[in-house]
Amino acid sequence: MFVNTPPLGWNTWNTFGANINEQLILESADAMVSSGLKDAGYEYIVIDDIWALKERGKDGRIVPDPEKFPHGMKYVADYVHSKGLKFGMYSCAGYLTCAGYPGSYGYEWVDAQTFAEWEIDFLKYDYCFHPISVRPDIMYKRMSLALANCGRDILFSACSWGSAHTRQWIKETGAHMWRSTGDINDSWESIKELAQSQLMAQEYNAKGCFNDMDMLVVGMGGKGNVALTGCTEDEYRLHFSLWALLNSPLMIGCDIRSMDDATKSILMNKEVIAINQDPRGCQPFMAHSEWFEINPNRGPDDFYYKNYFLDNPIIAKFLDNGDIAIGFFNFTDEAGGRWRYTFEPENVGLPHAIGKTLELTDLWTGEVMHTLNGAVEIDHIPAHACRLFRAKIVDA
């Protein structure tokens, strides 16, 4: 199994935590179809932790909690599949899951076979309560081999939070996506922290093994399992734009049964989703007029580096049809950032001398812009907001 584009779907954890049951999953599958999310490209319905009993059965298999899932997991999977969707579940590389339920350590082949019999399509594999005497790559390789030999294609979502230098060994394991961050929560501070930690780490993201920046909090509005302060619409839009541009899987975390219009407009922006799902899968890159590696002594604590590259990043990505995605992000608390955003086509390999320039379409507003005097200048981006463009090469 090879995964060409970042997976899109919905996961129970961010909003519901332990409060999951069969009816919630069935209703959410219905909502994914009726809301238009399925048509927008979302396809996975994923149950996170706390779905099982505390003890395995006498046959060594994990047992779904009969109060939460009275008809069993095959029934749930069949219902999800009947909607044209795919079904995902959760386990852990340790003896226990993060919430203290049976993990898969020592039971990898048994659990992989069980998941295959239930006809799941996606496994999120966490990293709690693991033996310190076993290398982390070995634990993920064990489950990867078990899944590859279970008789069913199951997307392997490795969730080791970027710890133990995950980026250095995760592709060896055969995982299709890998968590590179700690847990997100529904606050601007969390979005900013996770986002800035990823800006200079894109070389570890590629087709077949996507860098997962954690699930989306768009639309949570300060309610749910990981809720804190909630976010503004601008903050949610920046969150979604950056996750899409950086090729992260887009796994919704809000209650999709009750999304408001603002949430739908963000999560179902097909032009932004197309940037995430672009078949070429190119690595995003910084596209500032002056690149920080001019001075290799600069680093994350340097004032210039922090304010120019982390607080006001300009990020570009080549697209399959020859267009370029370009995002301008304001992580500061000041409208407009520290200074005007200036972008020159030369920064993406398009010198003015060849007689070509860029026509940029804002993917949120539809506004069309052109270069002026060989550059694009963006003023007055609100605090915690962004502009995301699809740029087409045209005659100057």
Side-chain angles (χ1 to χ4, degrees):
M1 178 181 182
F2 188 82
V3 180
N4 283 292
T5 56
L8 275 62
W10 172 81
N11 180 291
T12 59
W13 184 256
N14 280 3
T15 292
F16 297 101
N19 298 317
I20 55 175
N21 56 55
E22 179 179 289
Q23 192 61 32
L24 169 66
I25 306 307
L26 304 189
E27 290 177 359
S28 296
D30 290 342
M32 184 168 282
V33 176
S34 63
S35 67
L37 286 170
K38 179 178 180 290
D39 289 340
Y42 297 91
E43 60 178 345
Y44 289 97
I45 295 285
V46 181
I47 298 174
D48 212 285
D49 202 355
I50 320 181
W51 57 266
L53 292 180
K54 285 281 190 175
E55 295 186 13
R56 289 176 177 267
K58 292 181 179 180
D59 59 359
R61 297 200 174 203
I62 300 179
V63 180
D65 185 333
E67 292 189 9
K68 292 182 175 181
F69 299 95
H71 294 95
M73 288 304 179
K74 179 64 165 58
Y75 172 87
V76 178
D78 287 347
Y79 188 88
V80 171
H81 291 152
S82 76
K83 298 293 179 178
L85 302 170
K86 296 179 180 179
F87 181 53
M89 294 189 67
Y90 167 99
S91 190
C92 187
Y95 298 107
L96 301 172
T97 70
C98 296
Y101 290 76
S104 290
Y105 183 78
Y107 292 89
E108 292 88 356
W109 287 69
V110 171
D111 289 351
Q113 188 60 47
T114 300
F115 295 141
E117 291 174 5
W118 290 343
E119 298 188 3
I120 80 162
D121 308 291
F122 181 111
L123 179 67
K124 177 181 174 181
Y125 204 54
D126 224 328
Y127 191 52
C128 291
F129 299 107
H130 53 81
I132 61 174
S133 59
V134 180
R135 294 199 329 249
D137 65 303
I138 295 298
M139 286 183 275
Y140 281 90
K141 286 171 180 171
R142 288 170 65 156
M143 180 52 85
S144 180
L145 279 177
L147 291 174
N149 287 275
C150 73
R152 183 174 179 81
D153 282 341
I154 298 177
L155 190 152
F156 188 28
S157 173
C159 183
S160 61
W161 330 310
S163 62
H165 307 289
T166 302
R167 64 184 183 273
Q168 297 179 3
W169 49 261
I170 193 60
K171 290 182 183 178
E172 302 171 3
T173 71
H176 301 105
M177 54 188 276
W178 63 282
R179 267 279 294 283
S180 56
T181 70
D183 290 350
I184 197 169
N185 62 57
D186 185 22
S187 71
W188 166 247
E189 290 73 18
S190 179
I191 291 171
K192 179 179 178 179
E193 178 184 1
L194 267 59
Q196 291 186 327
S197 74
Q198 300 301 302
L199 293 181
M200 304 308 296
Q202 290 308 301
E203 63 269 30
Y204 301 106
N205 192 359
K207 295 178 71 170
C209 191
F210 290 98
N211 178 356
D212 174 15
M213 294 164 58
D214 205 2
M215 297 168 287
L216 300 167
V217 294
V218 175
M220 288 188 63
K223 300 177 182 178
N225 184 49
V226 303
L228 285 181
T229 58
C231 298
T232 67
E233 188 173 337
D234 275 346
E235 290 165 350
Y236 284 142
R237 191 178 293 113
L238 180 150
H239 170 35
F240 189 74
S241 297
L242 189 63
W243 264 235
L245 183 58
L246 296 189
N247 297 327
S248 178
L250 302 178
M251 301 299 291
I252 300 169
C254 69
D255 186 348
I256 59 175
R257 301 171 303 172
S258 57
M259 297 180 292
D260 60 22
D261 289 342
T263 298
K264 290 179 181 179
S265 72
I266 295 173
L267 293 176
M268 289 189 276
N269 184 317
K270 293 187 177 182
E271 296 298 324
V272 177
I273 292 172
I275 299 299
N276 179 261
Q277 297 289 293
D278 187 75
R280 193 173 180 186
C282 281
Q283 176 182 316
F285 58 94
M286 292 293 209
H288 297 82
S289 295
E290 184 179 355
W291 202 25
F292 81 94
E293 286 191 357
I294 290 172
N295 182 346
N297 294 320
R298 288 183 176 134
D301 296 326
D302 179 83
F303 177 83
Y304 182 84
Y305 176 98
K306 180 180 185 298
N307 287 277
Y308 195 62
F309 295 101
L310 295 187
D311 280 351
N312 300 274
I314 303 173
I315 304 169
K317 181 173 75 172
F318 289 168
L319 303 175
D320 190 54
N321 70 340
D323 290 352
I324 307 167
I326 307 171
F328 300 77
F329 298 89
N330 181 7
F331 286 107
T332 77
D333 297 330
E334 303 173 12
R338 303 286 182 184
W339 46 71
R340 176 184 297 130
Y341 292 78
T342 301
F343 169 80
E344 300 168 3
E346 175 72 53
N347 299 340
V348 295
L350 192 68
H352 183 68
I354 66 171
K356 300 289 184 180
T357 187
L358 295 176
E359 179 181 274
L360 301 93
T361 301
D362 190 309
L363 300 185
W364 292 108
T365 68
E367 178 186 0
V368 177
M369 299 178 59
H370 297 83
T371 55
L372 180 63
N373 298 321
V376 177
E377 292 190 344
I378 307 291
D379 285 320
H380 309 301
I381 295 180
H384 309 175
C386 71
R387 300 285 299 274
L388 181 61
F389 298 91
R390 188 174 187 122
K392 181 178 182 178
I393 298 174
V394 298
D395 292 333

